[in-house]
Amino acid sequence: MGWSLEREDATITEWERSDGYATVRIRERGDGRFVARLDVMEQATDDRAYDRVVLDERDAAEERAAAWREERDLDE
């Protein structure tokens, strides 16, 4: 199952997995750093997971978000 871009604006970029049970989000903080967040809900076929990291660069946050999406992608 793939991921779709659900929100993209000046502050937040968020992807949702096609089963609706996982999201990955990048958010810019007030101090100019970036938060990357993974949330996999309990109903998902994979284990529940929540992870959050704060990074100095948007590129690093995008790389972390891409890695989470790849790791948590479901086979169709």
Side-chain angles (χ1 to χ4, degrees):
M1 293 184 175
W3 293 80
S4 60
L5 184 62
E6 293 296 313
R7 178 178 175 183
E8 186 170 31
D9 56 40
T11 306
I12 294 174
T13 303
E14 184 172 57
W15 297 265
E16 183 176 296
R17 194 167 63 185
S18 58
D19 66 356
Y21 292 130
T23 60
V24 172
R25 175 184 280 198
I26 297 171
R27 174 179 59 83
E28 186 172 2
R29 295 173 17 145
D31 64 3
R33 298 175 76 199
F34 296 87
V35 175
R37 188 261 298 145
L38 164 71
D39 190 9
V40 180
M41 293 164 229
E42 291 181 25
Q43 297 89 345
T45 57
D46 43 355
D47 293 333
R48 176 167 176 74
Y50 183 86
D51 199 355
R52 179 182 178 276
V53 294
V54 179
L55 301 153
D56 292 331
E57 306 277 330
R58 181 167 182 90
D59 288 344
E62 288 176 358
E63 287 174 16
R64 181 69 256 169
W68 279 331
R69 292 192 315 272
E70 185 175 321
E71 292 166 8
R72 295 294 181 159
D73 203 17
L74 299 176
D75 295 329
E76 291 190 52

